[in-house]
Amino acid sequence: MKKLFESLKVGDLELENRIIMAPLTRCRCDAGAIPSEIMIAYYQQRATAGMIIAEATAVSPMGIGYPDTPGIWSDSQIRSWKKITDAVHEKGGKIVLQLWHVGRMSDPCYLEGELPVAPSAIAPGGHISLLRPKKTFVTPRALALADIPGIVKSFAKGAANAMEAGFDGVEIHGANGYLLNQFFNAGSNQREDSYGGSVENRSKLMLEVLDSVIDVCGAGRVGLHISPQDDEHSMLQSDFSTSLGDYTYLIKEVNKRNIAFLFVRESANSANCVGPHLRTIFNGIYIANEEFTPEAAEAAVENGKADAVSFGRLFIANPDLPARLYRNEKLNELNPDRYYHATIEKGYTDYPELDRI
C-alpha cells in the first residue's frame, strides 16, 4: 500500500498519512460527561492515524443521549480533554473533536427529566440505545423559533472549548439521525417556519452552525460529517433524485464556507450512492467511510474516489493500524461485547500492539 501513506494537507493541518480514525462512541466517561483517565491511553495508542476524529461529544447537557458519553461545555471537561490532546500531540498525532447534539434521540432519564428537543414533535422508532430494560423513545419537544439561536451558540461554545482543550480542529456532526440531520431530513422536519419545508430552509440550521463554528476556529480547522443514505434512527429515506438534489444543494452551500473536509458515511455497496457525486463537487478534502477493507481504501484513494479513508472497528481492535497496514501484518480480532462498557479497560486499551507482541 502506497497511497494511504502519502501525506495530505487538510485545511490548516498537515497529515502524515491518509488513514483516519473515525469518531467512535465507547461510553467510557466519568460522571458529569467528563473524559476518564483511561481515555488518555486509548487515544494516545492510536496517535499514528493521519488524524483522529474523537468520539461524538455533546455541546450541551440537552445534547446527551447515551450513558457515559463526553461533553464539551464545562471547565472540568475541557481540562480532561486537554490531557488527551496533550497525549496525542506528544506522539506526533493530530486530533479533532466531533461536536454533537442528539436531538430527539434521547430520553428524560439523560436530561434531568426534560423532554428531548427536535425540529418537530415526532418520536423516532425503536428503543433508546443501551438503556435496560428497553424503553421506546418519547415524543420530543419541537424547538420554538426563539430556541434555535441557543442551539447555534452551543455549537460555537463547544468549538471554542475544544480549541481551548487543545484540539487541532472540530467536526460538525450532521449525520446519523441526530439534531442537525433531523432538521435537514424532510421526514423528521415538519416545520412550517423558516427552518422547514424547502431544502433551503431545512439546511439553514446546519449552515448556521457551520458559520458559527468557522467564526471560532477558522474554516481550515472545520469539517462536516454527513450520511447521505439517511439510514439511521428513523430518517426518511428519499428516492435517489430527491436525496441527490438535497445533498447537492447542501454541499454547494458548504463550498461557500471553504471548510477543510467532508466526512461521508456511505457504503460503496449501498444502492444509489450519493457520495460519488458529492466527491466531484466538494472543494475540500473528501474522507470516505463505512465498510472499507484496507485494500478497498487503498484503491479508493488511488482511483481518486476519496482523498482519505476513515476506519472505525479496525481502529478499535488495532491501535497501531497504520503500522500493521504498512507492514502487512495480521489484524487483531475485534471484541464487540466490549464496545460499550464504562470505566472498563478490557476491549478498550488492551488490544495488542506490534511492539508489545
Side-chain angles (χ1 to χ4, degrees):
M1 293 186 181
K2 295 181 180 179
K3 293 296 292 186
L4 286 175
F5 290 93
E6 291 183 357
S7 61
L8 180 67
K9 183 173 175 57
V10 180
D12 294 344
L13 305 180
E14 297 282 351
L15 309 189
E16 291 189 3
N17 62 62
R18 299 168 185 239
I19 302 168
I20 310 300
M21 179 175 166
L24 299 161
T25 293
R26 303 301 306 278
C27 298
R28 261 43 177 219
C29 285
D30 292 333
I34 296 172
S36 63
E37 291 292 316
I38 63 171
M39 290 171 63
I40 300 172
Y42 170 76
Y43 280 109
Q44 188 176 54
Q45 287 173 351
R46 291 155 178 81
T48 56
M51 180 171 70
I52 294 171
I53 305 176
E55 62 205 86
T57 299
V59 295
S60 73
M62 285 298 294
I64 291 282
Y66 297 78
D68 308 307
T69 51
I72 191 63
W73 65 82
S74 75
D75 289 342
S76 54
Q77 292 162 353
I78 294 170
R79 287 193 296 270
S80 293
W81 274 121
K82 185 67 164 60
K83 295 178 184 179
I84 293 169
T85 60
D86 284 348
V88 170
H89 292 150
E90 181 183 317
K91 294 292 185 180
K94 298 288 194 305
I95 181 168
V96 304
L97 185 65
Q98 187 181 66
L99 301 177
W100 189 36
H101 192 307
V102 303
R104 69 181 187 174
M105 302 305 301
S106 189
D107 185 81
C109 72
Y110 296 126
L111 307 174
E112 297 187 354
E114 296 286 329
L115 284 175
V117 297
S120 303
I122 303 171
H127 300 88
I128 301 159
S129 297
L130 306 178
L131 191 65
R132 297 294 180 271
K134 287 185 176 182
K135 181 182 179 183
T136 56
F137 287 98
V138 300
T139 299
R141 174 177 70 85
L143 285 161
L145 199 59
D147 295 327
I148 292 179
I151 298 292
V152 177
K153 288 179 181 178
S154 69
F155 275 91
K157 181 61 174 175
N161 290 346
M163 300 309 287
E164 184 178 344
F167 284 95
D168 297 298
V170 297
E171 180 189 71
I172 305 302
H173 200 334
N176 299 356
Y178 298 120
L179 184 63
L180 300 184
N181 193 195
Q182 290 161 27
F183 268 83
F184 184 70
N185 189 278
S188 51
N189 184 346
Q190 297 293 305
R191 301 176 72 93
E192 297 180 351
D193 60 17
S194 59
Y195 287 88
S198 67
V199 66
E200 292 84 0
N201 287 353
R202 288 182 281 110
S203 301
K204 190 175 177 181
L205 180 58
M206 186 133 30
L207 296 172
E208 288 178 346
V209 165
L210 266 179
D211 288 337
S212 73
V213 170
I214 289 168
D215 285 344
V216 171
C217 303
R221 295 182 182 272
V222 175
L224 176 64
H225 190 119
I226 62 171
S227 52
Q229 292 294 313
D230 285 326
D231 53 358
E232 292 276 352
H233 299 146
S234 302
M235 291 291 96
L236 173 69
Q237 292 181 277
S238 302
D239 62 83
F240 176 65
S241 61
T242 300
S243 182
L244 183 67
D246 283 0
Y247 277 96
T248 295
Y249 171 80
L250 176 66
I251 300 309
K252 285 184 176 180
E253 290 298 309
V254 169
N255 277 341
K256 297 175 183 177
R257 277 86 178 162
N258 292 314
I259 64 171
F261 68 91
L262 182 69
F263 183 113
V264 180
R265 185 189 66 77
E266 181 182 67
S267 171
N269 298 320
S270 300
N272 296 323
C273 286
V274 176
H277 173 67
L278 302 183
R279 164 64 169 157
T280 67
I281 64 173
F282 179 61
N283 62 10
I285 294 300
Y286 185 96
I287 301 173
N289 171 259
E290 194 164 86
E291 299 178 357
F292 276 89
T293 64
E295 294 75 18
E298 173 72 13
V301 176
E302 176 70 35
N303 297 331
K305 294 181 179 179
D307 296 300
V309 175
S310 178
F311 298 94
R313 290 185 293 269
L314 288 184
F315 259 118
I316 290 176
N318 300 276
D320 54 353
L321 181 63
R324 288 177 183 270
L325 298 186
Y326 188 79
R327 291 160 55 175
N328 197 28
E329 295 280 353
K330 182 179 179 181
L331 300 177
N332 293 325
E333 292 292 326
L334 186 65
N335 182 357
D337 293 337
R338 294 291 181 178
Y339 280 167
Y340 317 111
H341 208 303
T343 72
I344 300 298
E345 296 181 14
K346 186 174 178 58
Y348 190 61
T349 56
D350 64 343
Y351 283 104
E353 297 177 66
L354 291 175
D355 60 3
R356 294 194 294 172
I357 295 176

